[in-house]
Amino acid sequence: MTTWYYDDELCWIADCEICEVPMVVWRVHQSVPPDDVLESLTARLRAVADERFGTDGYRIDDHMRNIPDHYHAHARDLDFWPRFMRRGR
């Protein structure tokens, strides 16, 4: 069961089913949001990530590897990549 953190008319935030870290997804199916929208999406994701990992315990990763045509970003804890690679992904 995926943990859901936030949901409004702009976006939703839930744990990514692959990465198991908070991910914001813009409801508009475009890959590049306007600056003001990007700022709002990032602020909402940071609020969740601050609560989960602490204010200095994560980085925002908006490289859209699997779904390049729909903007989303992950809040990855600082040990994410070594842990993820050990899982064999």
Side-chain angles (χ1 to χ4, degrees), residues 1-20:
M1 196 75 181
T2 299
T3 301
W4 281 79
Y5 300 99
Y6 186 83
D7 189 2
D8 70 8
E9 68 286 341
L10 180 66
C11 66
W12 54 264
I13 301 173
D15 278 346
C16 173
E17 291 179 354
I18 297 168
C19 303
E20 300 173 351

Side-chain angles (χ1 to χ4, degrees), residues 5-86:
Y5 300 99
Y6 186 83
D7 189 2
D8 70 8
E9 68 286 341
L10 180 66
C11 66
W12 54 264
I13 301 173
D15 278 346
C16 173
E17 291 179 354
I18 297 168
C19 303
E20 300 173 351
V21 296
M23 172 180 71
V24 63
V25 178
W26 186 28
R27 290 196 180 275
V28 175
H29 287 261
Q30 295 178 11
S31 60
V32 182
D35 289 342
D36 61 327
V37 171
L38 181 60
E39 185 176 318
S40 294
L41 295 170
T42 302
R44 287 168 169 83
L45 181 57
R46 286 190 182 283
V48 168
D50 286 351
E51 189 73 24
R52 175 138 175 218
F53 302 123
T55 57
D56 295 323
Y58 64 93
R59 291 192 180 94
I60 301 295
D61 177 1
D62 67 354
H63 179 75
M64 298 178 294
R65 292 167 185 80
N66 293 331
I67 309 171
D69 59 348
H70 188 181
Y71 183 81
H72 62 284
H74 296 81
R76 301 190 190 282
D77 60 277
L78 301 180
D79 295 323
F80 173 79
W81 286 111
R83 185 178 68 252
F84 191 73
M85 298 310 288
R86 280 192 306 271

